[in-house]
Amino acid sequence: MTGERNYKIVQRFLNEGDLSAMKEDAEFYDYTHSDPVIGNQAISDYIYSHYNIWFQDAAADFSNVVKGENSVVLEFTFRGIHKGEMHGIPPTGKA
């Protein structure tokens, strides 16, 4: 995948919530998780979990999108109330 194609896929996700164009072997890295999330469906499920299972009233404000040769990096602030177990961490009920 080229950087430009990756960038367009990320823009489509940010604007429409659509990950369907992502390749099945795509990798998603989250600094809160030690291993990458690999694959279209796994990435979709992981993002869904952030917004619907692990956090209540979740929102992300994207401040920067950096396009590399084979990758795209998103800089954002994520907010929500921790309501579900995430990576072995029990819910805290805190924002």
Side-chain angles (χ1 to χ4, degrees):
M1 238 188 242
T2 67
E4 186 61 33
R5 183 168 186 276
N6 289 336
Y7 180 76
K8 288 178 181 178
I9 291 169
V10 169
Q11 287 297 322
R12 188 172 175 181
F13 166 67
L14 294 176
N15 294 327
E16 303 169 23
D18 183 4
L19 291 172
S20 64
M22 188 182 318
K23 288 178 69 176
E24 186 51 45
D25 63 348
E27 296 181 7
F28 178 85
Y29 293 85
D30 179 346
Y31 75 91
T32 67
H33 193 267
S34 60
D35 297 316
V37 179
I38 300 173
N40 185 312
Q41 188 61 51
I43 293 168
S44 182
D45 292 347
Y46 188 78
I47 292 170
Y48 175 86
S49 294
H50 267 84
Y51 286 93
N52 297 288
I53 297 172
W54 301 330
F55 292 93
Q56 181 180 14
D57 300 324
D61 296 320
F62 294 90
S63 55
N64 200 11
V65 179
V66 179
K67 177 175 52 173
E69 185 176 327
N70 291 310
S71 62
V72 177
V73 176
L74 302 174
E75 182 179 3
F76 61 94
T77 302
F78 183 85
R79 293 181 203 60
I81 299 168
H82 185 197
K83 70 173 188 171
E85 183 177 326
M86 181 180 93
H87 308 307
I89 301 169
T92 64
K94 297 179 182 179

